[in-house]
Amino acid sequence: MRFKRFGASLLVTGLALLGTASPALAHSELKSSDPARGASLATPPTQIKLTFSGPVTLADQNPIQITGPENASWTVGRAEVAGTVVTAPVQAVGPAGEYTLRYKVTFEDTHATSGSVKFNLSVPAPSPTSQAPTSSPAPASSAAPAPQAGETTPEDLVPTWVWIVLAVAVVVAGIVVALRFTRRKD
């Protein structure tokens, strides 16, 4: 009889552990992008937009880069974060062909990640002299942008080790309760 109670206590403790650990185990990811993955564009975009499944911050000074055929490299302005959405103005240059948008962000659970989105430009982008920039690009030597109001920084988040310590405490408390419960019945 006491083994059934002990087993039930361990089961409840395990479920509690899984319930508290699941936020730490979930990872955010890129949900959508504009331009979309695999898109074929007749005109180059003037802004890019990345939407993630959870809040993000920018991982470094140049979080977004766009490169293409013949070593084409687009000018990317200062990226802005609004919760789960990252936007940046771009000035396209280069021939028609496949382009790769690379990004680096840090998710709410403090893990940094990078990824890429490939898309096609069906016509050459105009030369920089025939197109005015949509925004002045951020200088390569500038410091990382300060967090905007309402923007989450990694320091504001609960680190993963706190979730692990909490989970261990729940397991230990469950074992202590189970042992006390079985000793009372003896």
Side-chain angles (χ1 to χ4, degrees), residues 80-147:
E80 299 289 332
V81 178
T84 62
V85 178
V86 177
T87 57
V90 295
Q91 181 178 0
V93 294
E98 182 179 74
Y99 284 81
T100 303
L101 181 157
R102 289 181 179 80
Y103 62 87
K104 295 177 188 174
V105 295
T106 301
F107 291 112
E108 187 174 46
D109 63 1
T110 69
H111 87 275
T113 191
S114 60
S116 63
V117 174
K118 293 185 184 257
F119 61 93
N120 289 298
L121 193 57
S122 60
V123 296
S127 67
T129 56
S130 65
Q131 179 181 351
T134 58
S135 173
S136 60
S141 62
S142 68

Side-chain angles (χ1 to χ4, degrees), residues 60-76:
D60 64 13
Q61 293 179 16
N62 297 315
I64 299 169
Q65 299 174 352
I66 301 174
T67 56
E70 299 177 18
N71 295 322
S73 181
W74 293 10
T75 302
V76 179

